[in-house]
Every structure is written in C-alpha cells, then in structure tokens.
C-alpha cells in the first residue's frame, strides 16, 4: 500500500493550515491594540497597510509551499526509489499553480476570519479549533481505509 498517498490528505491539510492561526491572531492583535489606526494617523493609507500585510504573509506562505512542494517531489527512498504517490504523476507546473492559488486563498480566508474575532484569545481558540476540525475528515479517512 502507498502510505504517502494514504497520509497525504491529512499531511497537506494540517501542514498548510498551521499558518492560519498565526495570520488571524496577528491581524486581531493589531486590531485590538489599534495599530492600524495609529498608522493611519501617521499617514499610512489603508490600501498600503493591507497590501504590505498581504505581501508579507504571502511571502511566508509561498516559501512554505515551495519547500513543501520541493520535498514532496524530490524526496524519495534511495533503496527502493519510492516517491509519494499523489505527487509523482502530477506535473510540477500544475502543482505550482495549485499551491500558489491555495496560498492566496489561505491568506484571504485568514483576513476574513480576523474580522470575526474581537479578542486575541477567541482568535487563537477559534482558529486552532478550525484547523483541528478540518483535519478530522482527513484523519477519519485514514482510519476508515485502515479498518476496511
């Protein structure tokens, strides 16, 4: 059995969603401490603030995604030549576009979630629970396949 393909959905889900709480908590922390309002008073425009924030988190998430893509495609067992099954048959260009779009959606969704929280603690708890809840279907798929 292909263990890499079996664990793939769980690993991808949890690996990429690790950044979500950090992004949301940072935005909520800036909102609670009114940093953006202070920056506005000093002359920074709203569009410049959001562009800088978006580019910063995009750079981090993009590097994260590229390292993940590199490891998933390059790493193989030298003795048997095993590669992760869900990545070996997909063109690297398609993977790049997929991970690029996924990072853009992740950051946009994190900014959306940050508007819903009014305290840092609720943002932390809410996003961590969100990551755990999204990881459950992938984990249950693993358990279902192992039992069946």
């Amino acid at each position: 059995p292909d263990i890499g393909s079996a664990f793939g959905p769980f690993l991808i889900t949890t690996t990429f969603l690790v950044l979500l709480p950090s992004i949301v908590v940072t935005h909520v922390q800036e909102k609670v401490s009114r940093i953006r309002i202070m920056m506005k008073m000093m002359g920074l425009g709203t569009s410049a603030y959001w562009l800088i924030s978006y580019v910063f988190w995009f750079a981090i998430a993009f590097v994260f995604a590229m390292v993940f893509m590199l490891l998933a495609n390059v790493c193989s067992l030298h003795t048997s030549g095993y590669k992760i099954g869900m990545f070996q048959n997909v063109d690297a260009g398609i993977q790049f576009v997929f991970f690029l779009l996924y990072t853009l959606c992740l950051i946009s969704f994190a900014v959306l979630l940050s508007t819903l929280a009014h305290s840092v603690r609720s943002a932390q708890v809410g996003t961590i629970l969100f990551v755990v809840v999204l990881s459950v279907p992938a984990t249950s798929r693993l358990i279902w396949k192992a039992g069946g």
Side-chain angles (χ1 to χ4, degrees):
D2 189 5
I3 296 172
S5 291
F7 281 102
F10 172 73
L11 291 175
I12 289 175
T13 304
T14 52
T15 302
F16 282 101
L17 288 179
V18 166
L19 290 175
L20 185 73
S22 301
I23 300 169
V24 173
V25 167
T26 302
H27 282 290
V28 171
Q29 200 167 22
E30 289 176 357
K31 180 170 64 170
V32 167
S33 60
R34 301 181 190 271
I35 291 175
R36 190 169 59 120
I37 294 173
M38 287 185 235
M39 287 184 191
K40 251 184 173 177
M41 288 193 299
M42 289 186 232
L44 183 67
T46 304
S47 58
Y49 169 79
W50 286 112
L51 179 69
I52 291 166
S53 177
Y54 198 87
V55 168
F56 171 76
W57 285 111
F58 176 75
I60 291 174
F62 184 73
V63 168
F64 194 73
M66 290 303 105
V67 168
F68 183 82
M69 185 176 138
L70 180 75
L71 290 175
N73 286 311
V74 173
C75 290
S76 64
L77 296 177
H78 295 291
T79 56
S80 65
Y82 172 78
K83 290 182 79 170
I84 299 174
M86 60 189 295
F87 291 111
Q88 75 182 17
N89 297 327
V90 180
D91 186 41
I94 293 173
Q95 288 179 20
F96 176 78
V97 170
F98 171 75
F99 286 129
L100 177 73
L101 292 175
Y102 189 76
T103 3
L104 293 172
C105 289
L106 175 74
I107 296 166
S108 300
F109 187 65
V111 170
L112 174 71
L113 285 179
S114 68
T115 62
L116 302 175
H118 298 290
S119 71
V120 176
R121 178 61 71 186
S122 66
Q124 287 173 335
V125 171
T127 52
I128 289 172
L129 281 174
F130 185 78
V131 169
V132 169
V133 166
L134 279 183
S135 297
V136 166
T139 309
S140 63
R141 180 174 179 256
L142 286 174
I143 294 170
W144 184 265
K145 276 190 167 185

